[in-house]
Amino acid sequence: MRSIVDLMRAMGWSEETIVRASRLWGKSAARNGGRTHLLLGHLLDTAAVAEVMWDRYVSAALRRRLEDVSGGRGRLWLMWICGIHDCGKACPAFQAVDEVEAAPVRAAGLTWGRLPADRRQRWRHDVAGAALLRPRLVAEWGSAESAAWVWPLVAGHHGTFPSARGLKPQHREVQGRGAAWEEVQRAVVDVFTRAVGFAGLADVRPVGALNKAEQLALSGLIVMADWIASDSEQFAGIAEARQVSLAGSRRRAEAAWERLGLRGGWSELAASEDPFAPLTGRLGVRPRASQRELVERAWSMPVPGLMVAEAPMGEGKTKAALAAAEVLAARFGLDGVFVAMPTQATSDPMYEQVLEWVRSFDPGLEAQVALLHGKRRFHPTWRRIWDGDRGVSDGQCAAEDEWSADPFDVYGATEEDAEYGMPSWSSAGSLGAREERDGPARWFLGNKRGLLTAFAVGTVDHLLHAATRTRHVMLRFAGLVGKVVVVDEVHAADVYMRQFLLEALRWLGQARVPVALLSATLPRAQRQTFVDAYLSGALSAADVSCPVPEPVGYPCVTVAYALDGAGVAESSQRVVPPWRASVQTRVEWLPDVAGDGKMIASVVGREVAEGGVALVVVNQVDRAQAIYRALVEGGFEGQVRLLHGRLCSAHRAERTEECLRLLGPEAGEGRPERMVVVATQLAEQSFDVDADLLITDLAPVDLLLQRIGRLHRHSGTRRPSAVAEPRVLVTGVVAGAGGCPRLLPTSKKIYGEWPLLRAAALVAEAAGPLGGGAPGTGWSIPADVPELVARAYGEAEACPPEWGEGAAREVWRVQEEKREKNAEGFLLTRPREWGAPTLEGLHYAGSRAASAEDLDAVVRDGERSVEAVIVRRSAGGYRALDGTWIGVHGEVDDESAVGRLLGGTVRLPARLTEAAESEQTGLAPLPGWAGHPWLRYARALVLEEDGTALLGADRVSYDGVLGLVVERG
């Protein structure tokens, strides 16, 4: 085994320099499990981890790109760029951080004067590394252009990319003054470079350049390798340079990778000889015409690109997208899939579907499917795979998720990281050494790491987060590159969220990531905008406009890609029939804006008196609760279920699962004879239930059509004669003065008046005038869907003159433009800087989101709300919502009770946010939660012995059926 000391001697370095380089520390004993780790040792460990990642994790597509830019030495080049990241620790500003570690460095003759005490002037080692490396790269590579895209990879490994102006320290002392420092810094770089296999620094010069999106992905892989190599549980400190070698680091890296259970996805997936086998064999479906169209397009695209699939509700778009993802992965060397859903509720059933699909490739891949949302611990399959089967105790679960609870990942953190708000860290809670090889890797559960799993299902927020100018955005983006990205229900993104989606599409387009967008109700303008954004990235141009040909018919597929420097956009130019013929759907008015719910309860009771299932979808929780109360108090004979966002986590998960079981495609004989489901917008999309009758509050037309997608959804369902034909009753509106619709105030607040007026006008064509008159013709579903959506968002007037549509449109337009502008401040790049070739200065305005809650607020601009854990005050202490005793101060001595306690988590109405966060009267963790990783940041909503709590002027309580009940003060 050739040690690093032997190598330095063979290279001809003086004994003095060898001693000095051998004293530089990279991880202090105080922060590294009690053992100092030398800087050169950490650099080699990181390089060795990168080598394992090359073989077992990095997608074939990205490996090919690294081979291209390195002249066929992609593995070596990845090792070098990942390992060299911490070379900046060879400077006084870092070496002086720990007094104990600094002593032998000083004793070897590497000294420094007084360093700035002001944190704002602190010289960080990531920037120091770029500062010492950049001039050497320019000089030895003879190319400022090559150096220009490489140095930001070093400067940005702590999460933000500075500008070149930031590479000059205000005090020379911090970087190292004099020949001794200059010599040892050169030695660190040269010795490491030779150790990994290059002849010298000049030999490292790339023959090409990655584009900016590829650079961002590579930066994320650097962070990943660094964090793994910084885990003292896996890489014990080595304080003696004679024991440091690349061979030793390789053994450590291999062992760590195995212990942590890390792996990639498909590796290299073989293309199927039968073009439709991914549908027929893998997913077991008889391909519908729309599904065949999407898969054929995946086969025919010459390069990775964007696919926009538009098809009716219940058409099977998601299964077709998974089949297309398999085709794209096999053709272009991709390693996994991320499926983005609009909500947590829609993510859960999709997780089950993706799990089943992934098992069909290899049962062992089941453990590589991540569910990415904050309530995943309540999903029974998630618990079984990630906890139960391997006998992991709840106490271990708590330790594992401690990583997630911290606002930043703090692997290898040192005192200088205080600038980033990183607390001191003890690895005692790490599960790394106990990880089992046949199970999922808990490492991926850590903060910001979820997308790094090979297969992931989660809320679309995770995709949007990867397009925000926030710290460690490169880690999120690295989790997308090398995958196929599927975004379901893409129309659900409002104008604010859409700015982040468009930014994500630009970056994904430049990174050559195939993307499939799915929708039943996509406005034409949005389709065009998505295509232009993706092509803007693919062509690395700031402004791209590539007109999309109008599809022939519906369903349809649009594809866009860049070929030979030009954008190509194509759409279905043949009629693709839907899997079932269009059905005439009766549309009727049910004028009602009352708050007691009695009218709707009376009507629904009458409509299903002879049997049937009614789905009632309203726009307000209070309204849903009132309708439920009215049904129960009115003696409705049948099952009634209430589903909304103010249920606690456990109840919401249980009821969602129950509704899917009773009314889903596999319900069969278990389907209830008579049932009413009263829900809010949770039932609007990706809620695979079949209703005989729909009653819905007025909503924008695309969302109204989504709700209609739950109506007569499954073939073969037996229906009573009274509900044998699909029928929709539109409520939440009454005729006002002059026939102008009077809308629910909540609906106006959520959606804006103009889209609702347009919807009312289109409903009036189908149902007849709101104030009474001849009935309309109804809608033919799905045939009418594209035209209805196009008219709803078109330029032509749709409403009678007396409705004041023009004024409402202007108000809506101004609000939309304001929301677009609000999003700009958080987008990953400024609009005019998209064409910049490197990552330099990417974080030009800092990164304002510090925690997961802050990040969610960045990508969603609705009224801010907070979550609270409901507890009940009891004699002598507290109980969880389900009655579990949790101690005098709320301490949970039995970790098995933590899950039950957190099952009582509920989201408070936005109007209670100010009261919940008030310093004087707001909600705070219970005293006994201070040391618990899952509870220390949680707000407790303490219900007194009478079952209520006062929040500001409002009194709140929790009913096991109704959920959170708010009595206005």
Side-chain angles (χ1 to χ4, degrees), residues 832-903:
R832 291 173 299 281
E833 293 189 356
W834 171 247
T838 78
L839 297 172
E840 180 199 344
L842 188 67
H843 290 83
Y844 64 92
S847 46
R848 286 172 270 177
S851 67
E853 193 174 79
D854 292 335
L855 198 54
D856 289 339
V858 165
V859 298
R860 294 180 184 264
D861 73 335
E863 288 185 290
R864 205 163 56 80
S865 60
V866 298
E867 287 188 330
V869 179
I870 299 175
V871 296
R872 300 185 185 277
R873 196 182 299 278
S874 183
Y878 299 93
R879 294 187 182 275
L881 181 61
D882 71 347
T884 300
W885 173 252
I886 57 170
V888 176
H889 302 292
E891 60 275 16
V892 188
D893 296 328
D894 177 8
E895 286 293 346
S896 65
V898 173
R900 296 197 296 276
L901 172 61
L902 290 173

Coordinates of all heavy atoms in Angstrom, one line a residue, residues 832-903:
R832 N -32.8 37.4 -17.6 CA -31.9 37.8 -18.6 C -30.5 37.1 -18.5 O -29.6 37.4 -19.3 CB -31.7 39.3 -18.6 CG -32.9 40.1 -19.0 CD -32.7 41.6 -18.7 NE -32.5 41.9 -17.3 CZ -33.5 41.9 -16.4 NH1 -34.7 41.7 -16.7 NH2 -33.2 42.2 -15.1
E833 N -30.3 36.2 -17.5 CA -29.1 35.6 -17.4 C -29.1 34.1 -17.6 O -28.2 33.3 -17.2 CB -28.5 35.8 -15.9 CG -28.2 37.3 -15.7 CD -27.5 37.5 -14.4 OE1 -27.3 36.5 -13.6 OE2 -27.1 38.6 -14.1
W834 N -30.2 33.6 -18.3 CA -30.3 32.2 -18.6 C -29.1 31.7 -19.5 O -28.7 30.6 -19.3 CB -31.6 31.9 -19.3 CG -31.7 30.5 -19.8 CD1 -31.7 30.1 -21.0 CD2 -31.6 29.3 -18.9 NE1 -31.7 28.7 -21.1 CE2 -31.6 28.2 -19.8 CE3 -31.6 29.1 -17.6 CZ2 -31.6 26.9 -19.3 CZ3 -31.5 27.8 -17.1 CH2 -31.5 26.7 -18.0
G835 N -28.7 32.6 -20.4 CA -27.6 32.1 -21.3 C -26.2 32.1 -20.7 O -25.3 31.7 -21.4
A836 N -26.0 32.5 -19.4 CA -24.7 32.4 -18.8 C -24.1 31.0 -18.8 O -24.9 30.1 -18.5 CB -24.7 33.0 -17.4
P837 N -22.9 30.8 -19.2 CA -22.4 29.5 -19.4 C -21.9 28.7 -18.2 O -21.7 27.5 -18.2 CB -21.2 29.7 -20.4 CG -20.7 31.1 -20.0 CD -21.9 31.8 -19.6
T838 N -21.8 29.4 -17.0 CA -21.2 28.8 -15.8 C -22.1 29.1 -14.6 O -23.1 29.9 -14.7 CB -19.8 29.2 -15.5 OG1 -19.8 30.5 -14.9 CG2 -18.9 29.3 -16.8
L839 N -21.8 28.5 -13.5 CA -22.6 28.7 -12.3 C -22.1 29.8 -11.5 O -22.6 30.1 -10.4 CB -22.5 27.4 -11.4 CG -23.1 26.1 -12.0 CD1 -22.8 24.9 -11.2 CD2 -24.6 26.3 -12.2
E840 N -21.1 30.6 -11.9 CA -20.6 31.7 -11.2 C -21.7 32.7 -10.9 O -22.5 33.1 -11.7 CB -19.5 32.4 -12.0 CG -19.0 33.6 -11.3 CD -18.3 34.6 -12.2 OE1 -18.0 34.3 -13.3 OE2 -18.1 35.8 -11.7
G841 N -21.8 33.0 -9.6 CA -22.8 34.0 -9.2 C -24.2 33.6 -9.2 O -25.1 34.4 -9.2
L842 N -24.5 32.3 -9.3 CA -25.9 31.8 -9.3 C -26.7 32.3 -8.2 O -27.8 32.7 -8.3 CB -25.9 30.3 -9.4 CG -27.2 29.6 -9.7 CD1 -27.7 30.0 -11.1 CD2 -27.2 28.1 -9.5
H843 N -26.1 32.3 -7.0 CA -26.8 32.8 -5.8 C -26.5 34.3 -5.6 O -26.1 34.7 -4.5 CB -26.3 32.0 -4.6 CG -26.9 30.6 -4.6 ND1 -26.2 29.6 -5.3 CD2 -28.0 30.0 -4.0 CE1 -26.9 28.4 -5.1 NE2 -28.0 28.7 -4.4
Y844 N -26.7 35.1 -6.6 CA -26.4 36.5 -6.6 C -27.1 37.3 -5.5 O -26.6 38.3 -5.0 CB -26.7 37.1 -8.0 CG -28.1 37.1 -8.3 CD1 -29.0 38.2 -8.0 CD2 -28.7 36.1 -8.9 CE1 -30.3 38.2 -8.3 CE2 -30.1 36.1 -9.2 CZ -30.9 37.1 -8.9 OH -32.2 37.1 -9.2
A845 N -28.3 36.8 -5.1 CA -29.0 37.5 -4.1 C -29.2 36.7 -2.9 O -30.2 36.9 -2.1 CB -30.4 37.9 -4.7
G846 N -28.3 35.8 -2.6 CA -28.4 35.0 -1.5 C -29.5 33.9 -1.6 O -29.9 33.6 -2.7
S847 N -29.8 33.2 -0.5 CA -30.8 32.2 -0.6 C -31.6 32.3 0.6 O -31.2 31.9 1.7 CB -30.1 30.8 -0.7 OG -29.1 30.7 0.3
R848 N -32.8 32.8 0.5 CA -33.6 33.2 1.6 C -34.4 32.1 2.3 O -34.9 32.3 3.4 CB -34.6 34.3 1.2 CG -33.9 35.6 0.9 CD -34.9 36.6 0.2 NE -34.8 36.5 -1.2 CZ -35.6 37.2 -2.0 NH1 -36.5 38.0 -1.5 NH2 -35.5 37.1 -3.3
A849 N -34.5 30.9 1.7 CA -35.3 29.9 2.4 C -34.4 29.1 3.3 O -33.4 28.5 2.8 CB -36.0 29.0 1.3
A850 N -34.7 29.0 4.5 CA -33.8 28.3 5.5 C -34.4 26.9 5.9 O -33.6 26.0 6.1 CB -33.7 29.1 6.7
S851 N -35.6 26.7 5.9 CA -36.2 25.4 6.4 C -37.2 24.9 5.3 O -37.5 25.6 4.4 CB -36.9 25.6 7.7 OG -38.1 26.4 7.5
A852 N -37.6 23.7 5.6 CA -38.6 23.1 4.6 C -39.9 23.9 4.6 O -40.5 24.1 3.5 CB -38.9 21.6 5.1
E853 N -40.3 24.4 5.8 CA -41.5 25.2 5.8 C -41.3 26.5 5.0 O -42.2 26.9 4.3 CB -41.8 25.5 7.3 CG -43.2 26.1 7.5 CD -43.6 26.2 8.9 OE1 -43.1 27.2 9.6 OE2 -44.3 25.4 9.4
D854 N -40.1 27.1 5.1 CA -39.9 28.3 4.4 C -39.8 28.0 2.9 O -40.3 28.8 2.1 CB -38.5 28.9 4.8 CG -38.5 29.4 6.2 OD1 -39.5 29.8 6.7 OD2 -37.4 29.5 6.8
L855 N -39.3 26.9 2.5 CA -39.2 26.5 1.1 C -40.5 26.3 0.5 O -40.8 26.7 -0.6 CB -38.3 25.3 1.0 CG -37.7 25.0 -0.4 CD1 -37.0 26.2 -1.0 CD2 -36.8 23.8 -0.4
D856 N -41.4 25.6 1.3 CA -42.8 25.5 0.8 C -43.5 26.8 0.5 O -44.2 27.0 -0.4 CB -43.6 24.7 1.8 CG -43.2 23.2 1.8 OD1 -42.6 22.7 0.8 OD2 -43.5 22.5 2.8
A857 N -43.2 27.8 1.4 CA -43.7 29.1 1.2 C -43.2 29.8 0.0 O -43.8 30.6 -0.6 CB -43.5 30.0 2.5
V858 N -41.9 29.5 -0.4 CA -41.3 30.0 -1.6 C -42.1 29.7 -2.8 O -42.3 30.5 -3.7 CB -39.8 29.6 -1.7 CG1 -39.3 29.9 -3.1 CG2 -39.0 30.3 -0.6
V859 N -42.5 28.4 -3.0 CA -43.1 27.9 -4.2 C -44.6 27.9 -4.2 O -45.2 27.6 -5.2 CB -42.6 26.5 -4.6 CG1 -41.1 26.5 -4.8 CG2 -43.0 25.5 -3.5
R860 N -45.2 28.3 -3.1 CA -46.6 28.5 -3.0 C -46.9 29.8 -2.4 O -46.5 30.1 -1.3 CB -47.3 27.3 -2.2 CG -47.1 26.0 -2.9 CD -47.8 24.9 -2.0 NE -47.6 23.6 -2.6 CZ -48.5 22.9 -3.4 NH1 -49.6 23.5 -3.7 NH2 -48.3 21.7 -3.8
D861 N -47.7 30.6 -3.1 CA -47.9 32.0 -2.6 C -49.3 32.2 -2.0 O -49.7 33.3 -1.8 CB -47.7 33.0 -3.7 CG -48.8 33.0 -4.7 OD1 -49.5 32.0 -4.8 OD2 -49.0 34.1 -5.3
G862 N -50.0 31.1 -1.6 CA -51.3 31.3 -0.9 C -51.1 31.8 0.5 O -49.9 32.1 0.9
E863 N -52.1 32.0 1.2 CA -52.0 32.5 2.6 C -51.3 31.4 3.4 O -51.5 30.2 3.2 CB -53.4 32.7 3.2 CG -54.2 33.9 2.7 CD -55.5 34.1 3.4 OE1 -56.4 33.2 3.2 OE2 -55.6 35.0 4.2
R864 N -50.3 31.9 4.2 CA -49.5 31.0 4.9 C -50.3 30.3 6.0 O -51.0 31.0 6.7 CB -48.3 31.7 5.5 CG -47.1 30.8 5.7 CD -45.8 31.7 5.8 NE -46.0 32.7 6.9 CZ -45.8 32.4 8.2 NH1 -45.5 31.2 8.6 NH2 -46.0 33.4 9.1
S865 N -50.1 29.0 6.2 CA -50.7 28.3 7.3 C -49.7 27.5 8.0 O -48.6 27.3 7.5 CB -51.9 27.5 6.8 OG -51.4 26.5 5.9
V866 N -50.0 27.1 9.2 CA -49.1 26.3 10.0 C -49.8 25.0 10.5 O -51.0 24.9 10.5 CB -48.6 27.1 11.3 CG1 -47.9 28.3 10.9 CG2 -49.8 27.4 12.2
E867 N -48.9 24.0 10.8 CA -49.4 22.8 11.3 C -49.2 22.7 12.8 O -48.3 23.4 13.4 CB -48.7 21.6 10.7 CG -49.1 21.3 9.3 CD -48.5 20.0 8.8 OE1 -47.4 19.7 9.2 OE2 -49.1 19.4 7.9
A868 N -50.1 22.0 13.5 CA -50.0 21.8 15.0 C -50.3 20.4 15.3 O -51.1 19.7 14.6 CB -50.9 22.8 15.7
V869 N -49.7 19.9 16.4 CA -50.0 18.6 16.9 C -51.0 18.8 18.0 O -50.7 19.4 19.0 CB -48.7 17.9 17.4 CG1 -49.1 16.5 18.0 CG2 -47.7 17.8 16.3
I870 N -52.2 18.1 17.9 CA -53.2 18.3 18.9 C -52.9 17.4 20.1 O -52.7 16.2 19.9 CB -54.6 17.9 18.3 CG1 -54.9 18.8 17.1 CG2 -55.7 18.0 19.4 CD1 -56.2 18.4 16.4
V871 N -52.9 18.0 21.3 CA -52.8 17.2 22.5 C -53.9 17.6 23.4 O -54.4 18.7 23.3 CB -51.4 17.4 23.2 CG1 -50.3 16.8 22.3 CG2 -51.2 18.8 23.5
R872 N -54.3 16.8 24.3 CA -55.3 17.1 25.3 C -54.7 17.2 26.7 O -54.0 16.3 27.1 CB -56.4 16.0 25.3 CG -57.1 15.8 23.9 CD -58.2 14.7 24.0 NE -58.8 14.4 22.7 CZ -59.7 15.2 22.1 NH1 -60.1 16.3 22.7 NH2 -60.2 14.8 21.0
R873 N -55.1 18.3 27.4 CA -54.7 18.4 28.8 C -55.4 17.4 29.6 O -56.7 17.3 29.5 CB -54.9 19.8 29.3 CG -54.1 20.1 30.5 CD -54.3 21.5 31.0 NE -54.0 22.6 30.1 CZ -52.7 23.0 30.0 NH1 -51.7 22.5 30.7 NH2 -52.5 24.0 29.1
S874 N -54.7 16.7 30.5 CA -55.4 15.7 31.3 C -54.9 15.9 32.7 O -53.9 16.6 33.0 CB -55.0 14.3 30.8 OG -55.6 13.3 31.5
A875 N -55.5 15.2 33.6 CA -55.1 15.4 35.0 C -53.7 14.9 35.2 O -53.3 13.8 34.9 CB -56.0 14.5 35.9
G876 N -52.8 15.9 35.6 CA -51.4 15.6 35.8 C -50.5 15.6 34.6 O -49.4 15.2 34.7
G877 N -51.0 16.0 33.4 CA -50.2 16.0 32.3 C -50.9 16.1 31.0 O -51.9 16.8 30.9
Y878 N -50.5 15.3 29.9 CA -51.1 15.5 28.6 C -51.3 14.1 28.0 O -50.6 13.1 28.3 CB -50.1 16.2 27.7 CG -49.8 17.6 28.1 CD1 -48.7 17.9 28.9 CD2 -50.6 18.7 27.8 CE1 -48.3 19.2 29.4 CE2 -50.3 20.0 28.2 CZ -49.2 20.2 29.0 OH -48.8 21.5 29.4
R879 N -52.3 14.1 27.1 CA -52.5 12.9 26.3 C -52.5 13.3 24.8 O -52.9 14.4 24.4 CB -53.9 12.3 26.6 CG -53.9 11.7 28.0 CD -55.2 10.9 28.3 NE -55.2 10.4 29.7 CZ -54.7 9.3 30.0 NH1 -54.0 8.5 29.1 NH2 -54.7 8.9 31.3
A880 N -52.1 12.3 23.9 CA -52.2 12.5 22.5 C -53.7 12.5 22.1 O -54.6 12.2 22.9 CB -51.5 11.4 21.8
L881 N -54.0 12.9 20.9 CA -55.4 13.0 20.4 C -56.1 11.7 20.6 O -57.3 11.7 20.9 CB -55.4 13.5 18.9 CG -56.8 13.6 18.3 CD1 -57.6 14.7 19.0 CD2 -56.6 14.0 16.8
D882 N -55.4 10.6 20.4 CA -56.0 9.3 20.5 C -56.1 8.7 21.9 O -56.5 7.6 22.1 CB -55.3 8.2 19.6 CG -54.0 7.9 20.1 OD1 -53.4 8.5 21.0 OD2 -53.4 6.9 19.6
G883 N -55.7 9.6 22.9 CA -55.8 9.2 24.3 C -54.5 8.7 24.9 O -54.4 8.4 26.1
T884 N -53.5 8.5 24.1 CA -52.2 7.9 24.6 C -51.6 8.9 25.6 O -51.4 10.1 25.3 CB -51.2 7.7 23.4 OG1 -51.8 6.8 22.5 CG2 -49.9 7.2 23.9
W885 N -51.2 8.4 26.7 CA -50.6 9.2 27.8 C -49.2 9.6 27.3 O -48.4 8.8 26.9 CB -50.5 8.4 29.1 CG -49.7 9.1 30.2 CD1 -48.5 8.8 30.7 CD2 -50.1 10.3 30.9 NE1 -48.1 9.6 31.7 CE2 -49.1 10.6 31.8 CE3 -51.2 11.1 30.9 CZ2 -49.1 11.7 32.7 CZ3 -51.3 12.2 31.8 CH2 -50.2 12.4 32.7
I886 N -48.8 10.9 27.4 CA -47.5 11.4 27.0 C -46.8 12.2 28.1 O -45.9 13.0 27.8 CB -47.6 12.3 25.7 CG1 -48.6 13.4 25.9 CG2 -48.0 11.4 24.5 CD1 -48.5 14.4 24.7
G887 N -47.1 12.0 29.3 CA -46.3 12.5 30.4 C -46.8 13.8 31.0 O -47.6 14.5 30.4
V888 N -46.1 14.1 32.1 CA -46.4 15.4 32.8 C -46.1 16.6 32.0 O -46.9 17.6 32.0 CB -45.7 15.4 34.2 CG1 -45.9 16.7 34.9 CG2 -46.1 14.2 35.0
H889 N -45.0 16.6 31.3 CA -44.6 17.7 30.5 C -44.7 17.4 29.0 O -44.1 18.2 28.2 CB -43.1 18.1 30.8 CG -42.9 18.4 32.3 ND1 -43.5 19.5 32.9 CD2 -42.3 17.7 33.2 CE1 -43.1 19.5 34.2 NE2 -42.4 18.5 34.4
G890 N -45.4 16.4 28.6 CA -45.5 16.0 27.2 C -44.4 15.1 26.7 O -44.4 14.7 25.6
E891 N -43.5 14.7 27.6 CA -42.4 13.8 27.2 C -43.0 12.4 26.8 O -43.9 11.9 27.4 CB -41.4 13.6 28.3 CG -41.9 13.0 29.6 CD -42.6 14.0 30.6 OE1 -42.9 15.1 30.1 OE2 -42.7 13.7 31.8
V892 N -42.4 11.9 25.7 CA -42.9 10.7 25.2 C -41.8 9.6 25.5 O -40.9 9.4 24.7 CB -43.2 10.8 23.6 CG1 -43.8 9.5 23.1 CG2 -44.0 12.0 23.3
D893 N -42.0 9.0 26.6 CA -40.9 8.0 27.0 C -41.0 6.8 26.1 O -39.9 6.2 25.9 CB -41.2 7.6 28.5 CG -41.0 8.8 29.4 OD1 -40.2 9.7 29.1 OD2 -41.7 8.9 30.5
D894 N -42.1 6.4 25.7 CA -42.3 5.2 24.8 C -42.3 5.7 23.4 O -43.2 6.3 22.9 CB -43.6 4.5 25.1 CG -43.8 3.3 24.2 OD1 -42.9 3.0 23.5 OD2 -44.9 2.7 24.3
E895 N -41.2 5.4 22.7 CA -41.1 5.9 21.3 C -42.1 5.3 20.4 O -42.5 5.9 19.3 CB -39.7 5.6 20.7 CG -38.5 6.4 21.3 CD -38.7 7.9 20.8 OE1 -39.4 8.2 19.9 OE2 -38.0 8.7 21.4
S896 N -42.7 4.2 20.8 CA -43.8 3.6 19.9 C -45.0 4.5 19.9 O -45.9 4.4 19.0 CB -44.2 2.2 20.4 OG -44.8 2.3 21.7
A897 N -45.1 5.5 20.9 CA -46.3 6.4 20.9 C -46.1 7.6 20.1 O -47.0 8.3 19.8 CB -46.5 6.8 22.4
V898 N -44.8 7.8 19.6 CA -44.6 9.0 18.8 C -45.4 9.1 17.5 O -46.0 10.1 17.2 CB -43.1 9.2 18.4 CG1 -42.8 10.3 17.5 CG2 -42.3 9.3 19.7
G899 N -45.5 8.0 16.8 CA -46.3 7.9 15.6 C -47.8 8.3 15.9 O -48.4 9.0 15.1
R900 N -48.3 7.7 17.0 CA -49.7 8.0 17.3 C -49.9 9.5 17.7 O -50.9 10.1 17.4 CB -50.2 7.1 18.5 CG -50.2 5.6 18.1 CD -51.0 4.8 19.1 NE -50.4 4.8 20.4 CZ -49.5 4.0 20.8 NH1 -48.9 3.1 20.0 NH2 -49.0 4.0 22.1
L901 N -48.9 10.0 18.4 CA -49.0 11.4 18.8 C -49.0 12.3 17.5 O -49.8 13.2 17.3 CB -47.8 11.8 19.6 CG -47.6 13.3 20.0 CD1 -48.8 13.8 20.7 CD2 -46.3 13.5 20.8
L902 N -48.0 12.0 16.6 CA -48.0 12.8 15.4 C -49.1 12.6 14.4 O -49.4 13.4 13.5 CB -46.6 12.6 14.7 CG -45.4 13.1 15.4 CD1 -44.1 12.6 14.7 CD2 -45.4 14.6 15.4
G903 N -49.8 11.5 14.6 CA -51.0 11.3 13.9 C -52.1 12.3 14.1 O -53.0 12.5 13.4

